[in-house]
Amino acid sequence: MDFQLPPEQEQFRDSVRRFAAKHLAPGALDRAHAVAYPFDVAKKMAQQGLLGITIAETDGGQGGTLLDAVLAIEAVAASCPRSADVVQAGNFGPIRVLAEYGTALQKKKFLKRLLSGEAVISVGMTEPEAGSAVTELKTSATPDGDGYRVNGTKIFTTHSAYAEVILAYVRYGPGVGGIGSMLIETRAKGVKIGRPSAFMSGEQWAEISFQDVYVPPEMVVLKEGGFKKQIAGFNVERIGNTARSLALGRYAFERARAWALERRQFGRLLAEFQGLQWKFADMKMKLDAGELLLYRAAANADRGLPSPDETAIAKAFCNQAGFEVANESLQVMGGTGYSQEELVEYCVRRCRGWMIAGGSVEILKNRIAEGVFGRSFSQRQ
Ligand SMILES: Cc1cc2nc3c(=O)[nH]c(=O)nc-3n(C[C@H](O)[C@H](O)[C@H](O)COP(=O)(O)OP(=O)(O)OC[C@H]3O[C@@H](n4cnc5c(N)ncnc54)[C@H](O)[C@@H]3O)c2cc1C
């Protein structure tokens, strides 16, 4: 077992760090408070080869590993926490599912614009009555000629206010076996994007309703029986959420550490108070432990999809650790940490969301417990 990165991965991480320090650190605070998706950043990242890191070269990607993409998130977030979302969108989310299961025609139609940073794709799973119990989703795909008519409502969808295309989870028939997915363009007739709402993090989402939307057969990604594959692909998205939780926790930690080495009270540096030293020691232990779990899940996946169990353990731990570290860093910085002049409060708000998004901490712990006891526990009555 080797806990060092191979030299080429270290070089890659360092090159992304330099890129981020030069191009993304300036304007990082404004970017965090801007509502719009940073398409300018996405285009710069595309030129730098940071979109499609894990996607095959034949599909226009870089042919790298999942760990490479994790390293990119960390290196970008160290300079600009908000820009880490662009690494997520270009590598971990529905774009990865499209690259994994999409047809040549679907990839040709969408991947080029997504990988050039000109467009973004959303995943629409959650519905008003189907949150944690996502298999209760109602959005229906009814056969119509060669294609389907889709009806239903999606909520909380990240990027929904401006996404070009949605990877929508739909129901072709009853039960878990009836679930699959399709690509629906947001400009398609019958797609209605509602009034934008904001999460506590400032990110916008809008209700998406599908009203008799015709979806041609070539836009089907997974048919009936596709749910397991869909969730296997979604575990990549979870790794991205895990990496951002830890990376934003680390950003806040580094800011607080620097602050503790310059701020004086009672005639001493904050770093000299033992009560604060122990907070830093606790934070450091959480960050290091989280990193090991995250790297294990990503490295074992290599060029494939990560293990559900390792992903659940890494995500539940890092979601909690990232939030706790960011929150404690804010405390160490006092009123300055709580102020919007600093990005630490932003990190706290973002980390809070990942404890809910992409499989809440509780749902992941249910999964971990199933592994512990070697049996499944139905959550239904
Ligand atoms: C920042 C953010 C981004 C998101 N982005 C997307 C997106 O891009 N696409 C998308 O489809 N959705 C997205 N979501 C939605 C997200 O997936 C859901 O919010 C999540 O699945 C939880 O569903 P819910 O909000 O309906 O809560 P509920 O399912 O109603 O759960 C409420 C609480 O009960 C707990 N709970 C529920 N069931 C159990 C159980 N069996 N055991 C123990 N505890 C349980 C939950 O953990 C939670 O704490 C996003 C959410 C957030 C916050």
Side-chain angles (χ1 to χ4, degrees):
M1 195 172 294
D2 187 353
F3 288 97
Q4 302 302 316
L5 289 175
E8 61 277 14
Q9 258 174 335
E10 265 190 35
Q11 279 164 16
F12 170 70
R13 185 182 57 187
D14 292 347
S15 75
V16 183
R17 275 191 191 147
R18 284 195 300 276
F19 161 80
K22 184 168 173 196
H23 296 286
L24 305 177
L29 188 63
D30 289 344
R31 226 172 269 128
H33 295 294
V35 168
Y37 185 74
F39 281 105
D40 56 330
V41 169
K43 285 176 195 151
K44 274 187 199 154
M45 283 194 188
Q47 282 166 8
Q48 189 69 15
L50 296 179
L51 306 187
I53 294 171
T54 58
I55 292 176
E57 286 169 285
T58 44
D59 288 332
Q62 310 298 323
T65 65
L66 190 56
L67 185 56
D68 293 334
V70 164
L71 295 174
I73 280 204
E74 293 182 335
V76 163
S79 285
C80 178
R82 170 71 169 131
S83 293
D85 296 343
V86 180
V87 186
Q88 171 83 17
N91 293 283
F92 291 87
I95 192 172
R96 183 69 177 78
V97 174
L98 168 61
E100 186 76 19
Y101 304 124
T103 62
L105 185 142
Q106 290 166 355
K107 291 187 206 176
K108 189 161 177 262
K109 186 167 164 72
F110 296 111
L111 271 185
K112 199 167 172 219
R113 279 178 59 71
L114 297 173
L115 290 174
S116 64
E118 285 162 58
V120 70
I121 180 171
S122 287
V123 58
M125 304 160 66
T126 309
E127 299 182 0
E129 304 303 324
S132 301
V134 69
T135 53
E136 278 164 26
L137 66 91
K138 293 197 178 90
T139 295
S140 60
T142 317
D144 182 0
D146 286 348
Y148 296 89
R149 287 278 163 197
V150 175
N151 283 284
T153 303
K154 300 290 178 184
I155 57 169
F156 298 155
T157 314
T158 301
H159 308 311
S160 41
Y162 42 77
E164 198 162 290
V165 56
I166 297 161
L167 176 72
Y169 280 38
V170 295
R171 177 171 292 296
Y172 300 97
V176 178
I179 298 174
S181 60
M182 42 180 58
L183 293 161
I184 304 181
E185 289 180 81
T186 47
R187 61 169 186 206
K189 193 163 170 252
V191 178
K192 303 264 179 299
I193 307 290
R195 203 171 49 86
S197 302
F199 286 125
M200 165 184 172
S201 56
E203 295 162 278
Q204 282 196 342
W205 64 274
E207 183 179 278
I208 305 168
S209 72
F210 303 119
Q211 297 169 9
D212 255 342
V213 179
Y214 178 73
V215 178
E218 62 272 17
M219 287 303 124
V220 170
V221 178
L222 291 169
K223 292 199 169 149
E224 291 99 327
F227 184 71
K228 266 202 168 157
K229 276 187 168 177
Q230 190 75 46
I231 289 291
F234 189 65
N235 278 327
V236 177
E237 173 137 20
R238 287 180 166 156
I239 292 290
N241 289 355
T242 307
R244 284 183 296 162
S245 291
L246 208 62
L248 268 63
R250 191 180 295 283
Y251 181 99
F253 171 83
E254 289 299 344
R255 197 57 207 105
R257 193 174 72 85
W259 183 252
L261 290 168
E262 74 187 44
R263 170 80 173 160
R264 286 180 182 275
Q265 285 296 281
F266 303 100
R268 300 172 75 183
L269 286 172
L270 293 186
E272 290 168 1
F273 295 114
Q274 190 177 55
L276 297 187
Q277 288 168 8
W278 285 4
K279 284 185 192 287
F280 279 97
D282 284 337
M283 289 192 273
K284 171 77 175 145
M285 289 190 289
K286 286 178 186 169
L287 290 172
D288 279 14
E291 188 170 275
L292 289 173
L293 292 173
L294 168 62
Y295 284 12
R296 177 180 73 169
N300 283 342
D302 194 10
R303 287 184 167 74
L305 304 175
S307 127
D309 289 324
E310 289 182 357
T311 303
I313 293 171
K315 183 174 185 295
F317 187 89
C318 291
N319 286 163
Q320 287 181 176
F323 174 72
E324 287 164 8
V325 169
N327 199 32
E328 205 60 319
S329 299
L330 185 154
Q331 184 70 15
V332 167
M333 292 180 70
T336 303
Y338 193 57
S339 158
Q340 293 206 337
E341 298 306 312
E342 284 286 339
L343 278 165
V344 171
E345 62 81 34
Y346 170 76
C347 293
V348 174
R349 287 185 285 121
R350 291 303 305 276
C351 286
R352 190 65 189 83
W354 291 312
M355 294 170 75
I356 300 166
S360 67
V361 167
E362 292 79 13
I363 293 299
L364 295 168
K365 287 184 180 174
N366 288 347
R367 159 103 218 174
I368 296 165
E370 288 186 340
V372 169
F373 292 108
R375 52 171 280 204
S376 63
F377 297 99
S378 174
Q379 302 297 310
R380 293 173 205 285
Q381 276 195 323

